[in-house]
């Protein structure tokens, strides 16, 4: 019992660290990759996060088998798992500090070259937050992203409870279904990233994936209690494919409509929204599942995802970063700090003729 406060403190530190990790994909992609590969790079980074989740489904049951009759052995196995995680994390920390550089020698795109002309002292985090919340398309995306990702978090958290309600004693298969959901999502992330780089149809792709996620959620909801685990594997995989495939879409769409604001700021707000919706959805869905049945909880999520579809349809597709990278009419585009809140349309870009 004396170790509980220390354990809680350690978990709090890990939770704080996660905030910085989750916002990296769009930032790294924008700084290091050009216009034809930036979305794919973001998707690969998101895939890395999902790969870690998949490993989290696989390794703990192997490293810490259920030994209720030998608590000391279980504690020993848990220690091995935690020490192993600490060693890997420490190694990655040193590699990040020693091997990786902050940015490439030459900007990979026109949009990044523009941003690097702005002196660091001109950047204001507070003003950047204000600019983002004045950006109506971003606010709509912030809410819709939170709904979709929060729903995914809720489904992932309560998946085991939903499965064992209808399939008693199938805890192992519940874990496998969760793994299927994550692995299918990894494939979806890559495909969505490649498609964005090829078409640059940010809003259209985001809306279509949102609608397909809604359909997938409905199918999963109404087939969960049919008595066939194979069906649950298939529907869970389809659901994970589209819901996780949405993650890089949201990141990249946010960067496009908020340029030249920092990618880290926009992605950080998206993750905060996802965490808030995830907590609320998990609590409400869990309550509905316990008091009624899994279908009631899933229908609750379906209703919110439908709201997300409407919000996504209302987003104005103003691809600012793409327009800068396209070099339309050979314009010299310069990012400037915002000094006046009166003209929000001028807070992002100042365009001057190069002639």
């Amino acid at each position: 019992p004396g170790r509980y406060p220390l354990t809680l403190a350690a978990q709090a530190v890990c939770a704080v660290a996660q905030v910085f990790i989750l916002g990296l994909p769009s930032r790294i992609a924008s700084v290091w990759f050009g216009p034809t590969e930036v979305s794919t790079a973001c998707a690969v980074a998101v895939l890395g996060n999902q790969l870690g989740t998949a490993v989290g489904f696989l390794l703990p049951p192997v490293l810490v088998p259920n030994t209720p009759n030998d608590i000391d052995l279980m504690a020993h196995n848990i220690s091995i798992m935690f020490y192993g995680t600490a060693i890997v994390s420490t190694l990655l920390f040193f590699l990040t500090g020693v091997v990786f550089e902050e940015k490439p020698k030459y900007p990979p795109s026109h949009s990044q070259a523009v941003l690097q002309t702005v002196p660091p002292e001109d950047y204001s985090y507070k003003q950047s937050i204000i600019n983002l919340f004045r950006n109506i398309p971003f606010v709509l995306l912030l809410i819709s992203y939170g709904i979709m990702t929060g729903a995914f978090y809720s489904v992932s958290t309560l998946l085991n409870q939903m499965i064992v309600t209808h399939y008693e004693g199938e805890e192992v298969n519940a874990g496998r279904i969760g793994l299927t959901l994550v692995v299918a999502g990894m494939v979806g992330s890559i495909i969505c990233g490649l498609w964005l780089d090829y078409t640059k149809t940010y809003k259209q792709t985001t809306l279509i994936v949102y609608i397909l996620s809604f359909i997938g959620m409905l199918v999963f909801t109404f087939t969960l209690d049919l008595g066939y685990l194979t069906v649950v594997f298939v529907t869970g995989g389809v659901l994970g494919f589209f819901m996780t495939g949405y993650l890089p879409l949201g990141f990249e769409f946010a960067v496009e409509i908020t340029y030249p604001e920092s990618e880290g700021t926009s992605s950080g707000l998206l993750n905060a929204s996802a965490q808030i919706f995830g907590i609320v959805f998990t609590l409400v869905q869990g309550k509905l599942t316990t008091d009624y049945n899994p279908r009631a909880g899933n229908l609750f999520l379906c209703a919110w995802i439908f709201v997300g579809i409407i919000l996504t349809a209302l987003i104005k597709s103003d691809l600012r970063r793409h327009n800068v990278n396209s070099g339309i009419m050979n314009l010299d585009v310069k990012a400037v700090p915002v000094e006046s809140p009166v003209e929000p349309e001028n807070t992002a870009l100042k365009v001057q003729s190069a002639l």
Side-chain angles (χ1 to χ4, degrees):
R3 297 182 179 180
Y4 288 164
L6 182 60
T7 302
L8 292 175
Q11 290 177 330
V13 171
C14 291
V16 171
Q18 186 185 37
V19 174
F20 296 95
I21 299 298
L22 292 177
L24 287 177
S26 58
R27 174 64 180 175
I28 294 176
S30 296
V31 171
W32 285 91
F33 295 89
T36 61
E37 55 194 6
V38 62
S39 297
T40 303
C42 181
V44 171
V46 171
L47 180 147
N49 182 33
Q50 296 303 310
L51 179 61
T53 304
V55 172
F57 273 107
L58 287 175
L59 281 186
V62 175
L63 297 177
V64 189
N66 188 21
T67 56
N69 297 325
D70 193 341
I71 301 301
D72 291 335
L73 177 60
M74 183 179 295
H76 175 71
N77 292 332
I78 292 175
S79 297
I80 292 177
M81 181 178 68
F82 284 167
Y83 282 126
T85 303
I87 291 172
V88 172
S89 300
T90 303
L91 177 61
L92 292 175
F93 170 75
F94 283 112
L95 285 176
T96 302
V98 175
V99 177
F100 294 97
E101 298 180 3
E102 181 180 0
K103 59 184 177 181
K105 184 176 181 181
Y106 302 105
S109 63
H110 189 193
S111 59
Q112 278 299 307
V114 168
L115 292 181
Q116 292 183 18
T117 64
V118 181
E121 58 269 17
D122 286 350
Y123 174 76
S124 169
Y125 179 75
K126 177 182 177 181
Q127 186 62 57
S128 180
I129 294 291
I130 294 174
N131 292 342
L132 289 175
F133 278 105
R134 285 177 177 164
N135 187 326
I136 301 302
F138 175 73
V139 173
L140 293 174
L141 179 62
L142 184 68
I143 300 173
S144 61
Y145 182 91
I147 291 173
M148 175 65 77
T149 312
F152 176 74
Y153 289 162
S154 183
V155 170
S156 301
T157 303
L158 300 172
L159 183 63
N160 185 77
Q161 182 181 348
M162 288 189 283
I163 298 300
V164 297
T165 298
H166 297 295
Y167 304 91
E168 187 175 352
E170 294 289 352
E171 288 83 1
V172 174
N173 275 322
R176 292 171 179 170
I177 293 171
L179 178 62
T180 301
L181 189 145
V182 173
V183 172
M186 293 163 59
V187 177
S189 294
I190 293 298
I191 292 177
C192 288
L194 289 169
W195 178 256
L196 277 189
D197 277 332
Y198 180 72
T199 65
K200 300 300 180 182
T201 53
Y202 290 87
K203 177 179 177 177
Q204 297 91 324
T205 303
T206 301
L207 183 59
I208 290 173
V209 171
Y210 220 116
I211 293 173
L212 292 175
S213 298
F214 173 70
I215 295 174
M217 190 67 200
L218 283 176
V219 174
F220 176 80
T221 298
F222 288 102
T223 59
L224 183 60
D225 59 351
L226 291 182
Y228 300 100
L229 270 175
T230 303
V231 175
V232 182
F233 270 96
V234 174
T235 56
V238 171
L239 186 63
F241 180 90
F242 291 114
M243 293 188 83
T244 307
Y246 174 83
L247 299 182
L249 298 179
F251 280 140
E252 286 297 287
F253 197 14
V255 173
E256 288 290 339
I257 63 179
T258 62
Y259 180 87
E261 302 299 341
S262 171
E263 303 89 349
T265 306
S266 62
S267 61
L269 289 175
L270 290 180
N271 282 317
S273 177
Q275 297 295 330
I276 293 172
F277 276 99
I279 292 172
V280 174
F281 284 173
T282 302
L283 292 175
V284 177
Q285 186 187 12
K287 180 67 173 175
L288 291 172
T289 300
T290 302
D291 293 350
Y292 299 97
N293 51 54
R295 177 173 294 184
N298 286 333
L299 287 175
F300 167 78
L301 293 183
C302 288
W304 274 100
I305 294 175
F306 184 76
V307 173
I309 292 175
I310 297 174
L311 294 177
T312 302
L314 295 175
I315 297 174
K316 180 182 178 182
S317 184
D318 182 14
L319 306 183
R320 299 176 179 180
R321 182 181 64 176
H322 175 66
N323 291 336
V324 172
N325 287 329
S326 297
I328 300 173
M329 298 178 64
N330 294 321
L331 294 181
D332 177 25
V333 184
K334 296 182 180 180
V336 295
V338 180
E339 297 178 355
S340 173
V342 176
E343 300 180 358
E345 67 274 8
N346 295 327
T347 61
L349 299 175
K350 180 180 180 181
V351 184
Q352 296 176 331
S353 173
L355 299 177

